[in-house]
Amino acid sequence: MSDFFFDKLKEECGVFGVFGHQEASTLTQLGLFALQHRGQEACGIVSADGDDFTQIRRLGLVADNFDAKTLERLKGNSAIGHTRYSTAGRKSVREAQPFSVTCQHGKIAVCHNGNLPFAKQKRKELEKQGAIFNSTSDTETILHSIARTEADSAVEAIAKVLRETEGAFSLLFLTPEALIAVRDPRGFRPLVLGKLKNGAYVVGSETCAFDLIDAEYLREIEAGEMLVIDEKGLHSSRPFEEKPKSVCTFEHVYFSRPDSIIFGRSVNQSRHLMGRQLAKEHLVEADIVVPVPDSGVAAAIGYSAESGISFRQGIIRNHYIGRTFIEPSQTIRSFGVKLKLNPIKDLIEGNRVILVDDSIVRGTTSKKVVALVREAGAKEVHLRISCPPTISPCYYGVNTPVKEELIAARMSVEEVCETIGADSLGYLSMAGMLEATGMATDSVCVACWNGKYPTEIGNGSKDVR
């Protein structure tokens, strides 16, 4: 059963912050709820009342951990929050963010979306200097470094530390007086700015979080920008050396919600165009186009529109499944996948089916879904993937399997097709994907598809193919 739940790339984390609203913690809880897809292992909120912090961090989902009584404890007009997947470090409440410290620069809290490839090396240096860590998270190294940096203010210390930090980071810092949003110079991870009707500012990983609380989307936090929000308003600076942009294309392929605007473009539009392009590149005679829910829906609609083949919601997803089910001792074939997905037999039986999904990682789930559709009576099953073959792990905030576990890194397209049991398999080309997203080739990170990393990744190499 674990094959099903873990045979997807897991999105890094989600961050959300509010400054200047009497219900800051409640709005942060709602923002995190909208960003729950970005992390479901743990969540946390830190609020500030002008003098002190209140912090609550717990394992599990936002809705299960932040009820009205809990939120009453999080007093203050500013707050930051986090939803987490474990991209670096263990899975425990100690790893839950935001982290907070009291140091020479006062009280500082931080939450992080991304990953720092050199964090282990930096951690060892700090430990030799006497630093005591409470978690295994790479984010904690940032706080320790800030605490040890000579500077006139917390803002100056943050800028100094991050100037020397390589990797992917969209960070929110909270002090009793300010909310500070920082995006790394390459812009790997999204970070957006919004405004509430009362004039309070909000910052989050995706615009879908703004929609829930009726906040107006203003703009992206730009790559390499530090934005300080305090009682005097917005203060933007660019404390980092300029570097080539390397925004994560997988945000448009899979990670972000389709109702978000990411890197200045509608995610739904990108996925729809990916599906159209996929039909141009890998058309096959068939009777129906069926998405693997939910991530394959927009691309499947695009494939259907371009090909003229009927779109049908032939697989239903159970959205309420957890990870605690015990498989019966009398084994049910494909038990794990059946917990989450169930085919509509009268739509599939006797038809040639085009299955559309966003990606293939290990291949275990794809194999089970293809088998499920065949068992429902499909005459043929043709799998279409709305991105290129995934051949390399991510070091910028995605929980990716090691290279040896990625099926496309070990097999040709024909071998993958045979392994998963499809009649044919077609991946979207790199050029087709980038055209669909509207992103320039020289401004994106596509390392998971070509093995060429825009930074060193801890072994002195930018290429691990």
Side-chain angles (χ1 to χ4, degrees):
M1 185 171 136
S2 62
D3 281 346
F4 175 76
F5 289 112
F6 294 105
D7 194 27
K8 281 287 185 184
L9 298 184
K10 298 302 183 189
E11 199 355 68
E12 328 76 18
C13 301
V15 298
F16 192 84
V18 179
F19 186 89
H21 198 286
Q22 61 184 1
E23 293 185 282
S25 60
T26 299
L27 292 171
T28 299
Q29 179 247 15
L30 291 170
L32 294 180
F33 180 78
L35 298 172
Q36 188 74 83
H37 60 288
R38 297 184 74 89
Q40 299 170 30
E41 288 182 358
C43 54
I45 296 174
V46 172
S47 65
D49 63 6
D51 296 310
D52 207 356
F53 285 167
T54 306
Q55 176 174 292
I56 297 174
R57 301 181 298 158
R58 293 174 179 170
L59 292 177
L61 303 177
V62 175
D64 295 336
N65 283 303
F66 289 96
D67 56 18
K69 287 186 177 180
T70 304
L71 290 168
E72 285 176 5
R73 294 164 51 193
L74 292 161
K75 299 184 184 302
N77 291 336
S78 59
I80 59 173
H82 188 263
T83 62
R84 178 179 188 264
Y85 269 129
S86 53
T87 61
R90 299 192 184 104
K91 179 183 176 181
S92 76
V93 73
R94 286 189 175 186
E95 319 302 324
Q97 298 183 33
F99 297 128
S100 62
V101 295
T102 300
C103 65
Q104 62 175 319
H105 306 299
K107 292 179 170 62
I108 305 174
V110 64
C111 54
H112 176 203
N113 174 204
N115 196 47
L116 308 177
F118 293 94
K120 288 183 180 179
Q121 177 181 325
K122 184 64 177 178
R123 182 189 181 100
K124 289 179 181 178
E125 294 174 8
L126 289 166
E127 286 174 336
K128 287 180 180 179
Q129 297 170 18
I132 299 172
F133 286 82
N134 291 315
S135 75
T136 60
S137 171
D138 57 343
T139 310
E140 196 178 358
T141 64
I142 296 174
L143 273 185
H144 278 283
S145 298
I146 290 169
R148 290 167 179 267
T149 297
E150 292 295 325
D152 293 333
S153 66
V155 172
E156 184 181 325
I158 291 167
K160 280 187 175 182
V161 168
L162 294 181
R163 270 196 290 267
E164 300 173 0
T165 301
E166 182 67 275
F169 53 85
S170 286
L171 291 156
L172 294 184
F173 293 90
L174 188 66
T175 72
E177 302 84 21
L179 171 64
I180 303 154
V182 191
R183 193 167 167 218
D184 70 79
R186 297 180 186 273
F188 283 104
R189 297 288 150 216
L191 197 61
V192 288
L193 174 68
K195 193 173 186 179
L196 292 159
K197 292 177 181 177
N198 78 329
Y201 287 100
V202 292
V203 182
S205 295
E206 295 184 36
T207 61
C208 65
F210 297 169
D211 298 335
L212 180 59
I213 59 174
D214 287 333
E216 177 190 2
Y217 167 54
L218 297 180
R219 64 176 178 87
E220 278 190 285
I221 308 295
E222 296 183 10
E225 181 180 13
M226 172 183 280
L227 188 65
V228 179
I229 307 171
D230 59 22
E231 289 185 351
K232 296 180 180 178
L234 301 179
H235 314 276
S236 176
S237 63
R238 295 182 175 277
F240 311 114
E241 177 186 347
E242 188 173 343
K243 296 180 180 178
K245 287 186 72 174
S246 303
V247 302
C248 175
T249 313
F250 234 116
E251 290 284 352
H252 274 260
V253 171
Y254 171 65
F255 295 141
S256 297
R257 267 179 37 171
D259 50 334
S260 285
I261 297 170
I262 298 295
F263 309 135
R265 186 183 177 93
S266 161
V267 175
N268 181 73
Q269 181 185 12
S270 290
R271 291 179 188 168
H272 181 85
L273 292 175
M274 287 175 198
R276 281 189 171 272
Q277 184 63 29
L278 192 55
K280 293 176 183 177
E281 294 181 12
H282 296 286
L283 187 61
V284 64
E285 289 188 8
D287 302 302
I288 56 174
V289 177
V290 174
V292 178
D294 291 322
S295 54
V297 172
I301 292 172
Y303 192 105
S304 172
E306 183 65 33
S307 66
I309 301 170
S310 177
F311 170 88
R312 304 306 296 268
Q313 196 81 40
I315 301 175
I316 301 301
R317 178 186 172 194
N318 184 338
H319 290 82
Y320 306 101
I321 218 67
R323 300 186 184 185
T324 58
F325 286 90
I326 306 301
E327 187 166 348
S329 55
Q330 287 187 324
T331 303
I332 298 173
R333 185 165 48 188
S334 300
F335 177 74
V337 73
K338 285 181 178 178
L339 275 174
K340 195 128 187 182
L341 303 177
N342 196 38
I344 300 176
K345 293 184 179 179
D346 63 308
L347 289 179
I348 291 173
E349 191 170 15
N351 282 321
R352 298 167 296 174
V353 177
I354 297 171
L355 276 178
V356 179
D357 204 357
D358 61 274
S359 59
I360 301 176
V361 183
R362 292 180 177 91
T364 50
T365 296
S366 298
K367 183 176 182 178
K368 291 176 180 179
V369 174
V370 169
L372 202 67
V373 173
R374 286 203 189 279
E375 290 168 12
K379 288 170 63 177
E380 298 174 8
V381 182
H382 302 276
L383 186 58
R384 296 294 180 265
I385 304 299
S386 59
C387 73
T390 303
I391 61 168
S392 295
C394 177
Y395 296 93
Y396 304 114
V398 181
N399 189 6
T400 327
V402 296
K403 188 177 181 72
E404 292 73 23
E405 294 180 3
L406 297 169
I407 191 170
R410 299 181 286 107
M411 299 181 184
S412 66
V413 173
E414 293 74 19
E415 289 170 331
V416 174
C417 182
E418 183 178 355
T419 299
I420 65 178
D423 289 286
S424 71
L425 170 62
Y427 291 92
L428 184 60
S429 67
M430 183 81 75
M433 177 184 66
L434 293 178
E435 182 180 349
T437 62
M439 296 180 184
T441 305
D442 60 356
S443 69
V444 296
C445 178
V446 290
C448 51
W449 297 300
N450 68 6
K452 296 179 180 179
Y453 296 87
T455 71
E456 291 185 0
I457 54 173
N459 63 355
S461 172
K462 292 187 178 184
D463 191 333
V464 298
R465 288 182 295 173

